[in-house]
Amino acid sequence: MGGRKSGTNKKDGIINPHISSVTGVNVFDLFVRIDLRDGETGFLVKEYEVENIVDSFSLSFYNDAGFSYVINTTGDVLIRPPHPNSNKTVQNLFDMLPVTQNSENKIREFAKALEDFRTGWAVFAYQEEQMVFCYTPLKLQSDWYLISIISRNVVEKRTNEILMRTMTLIASIILGIFLLVAFYVRYVNRTDRKLGNQAEYIGHLYNAVPEGIALITQEQPLCILQLNREGLRLLEYPEDAQNDVPKGNAIKDIVHPEDYEQTIGFFRDTAENDRKNRFENRVMRQDPYSEDKLAILISRRNGPPG
């Protein structure tokens, strides 16, 4: 009987490959115990010819560079592959691992891993070549193991190919990111230049128009933020004065006191009704004794003044 425990008290299990006394071919059996009403015990057995299903267990991989055995926990070969590089006569997997070429400690660790039904891999010398042994238990109510064997050189070659493809992919991603960043920087620079040219042109128009233009705060008290060149001239600022020189000056200090309430009324009307207003009022120039009358057009842009 095969399996983790021997004996006929198991309800089901697998009988290890053996030569059938009926057909004379290598077979293994699945069995299920049946307890009859009269107290007798019977077994339902399903038999499989190893030759017909060997390909399902002994896998080939890495373009037939690797092959597999089915063994038990003591290393006995149960199903051997038809692969040309496999050993066709070895009865126990440990016979393939000469102590003269392999560490005894590594062989003992490998044997202990099989006893403990662990999954893993180990590297051993076999046929004067370093081979990778990958092992995993098949379970299936048995102590069977699938052992896959492949040359370490083949694994390293394929691993290097995967690493090279991975590095190529990473390099392509980095190059794509670099090109995207370069395109974005170029786009930003072009946009900045375009906006800068537009701002310069608007600034030129702002100072070139023959009318005074003032930017005024929305909050009370209304204060000047900027005056264009003509506005500075009308208020008798020096010719080299910057547009923001009057910044912080309240409208109340510029508009003639007698016209101030009327002017504020126009600002409120513009804010509340979202429309333009045109009116005239007197303003105080730099010379405190000088008065002049200006026509002012105001329009609401960003909401009502405070």
Side-chain angles (χ1 to χ4, degrees), residues 272-289:
E272 293 173 358
N273 298 301
D274 195 17
R275 66 184 180 186
K276 297 178 181 179
N277 274 302
R278 186 178 184 88
F279 61 94
E280 291 184 358
N281 65 256
R282 292 169 292 175
V283 297
M284 309 298 294
R285 294 188 173 181
Q286 291 291 90
D287 182 354
Y289 301 102

Side-chain angles (χ1 to χ4, degrees), residues 78 93 97 124 136 162 235 251:
L78 305 178
L93 186 71
L97 308 176
F124 295 107
T136 184
I162 294 173
L235 294 180
I251 293 294

Side-chain angles (χ1 to χ4, degrees), residues 174-189:
I174 293 175
L175 178 61
I177 294 174
F178 175 78
L179 293 176
L180 182 62
V181 170
F183 174 79
Y184 176 76
V185 171
R186 181 172 177 268
Y187 171 78
V188 169
N189 289 337

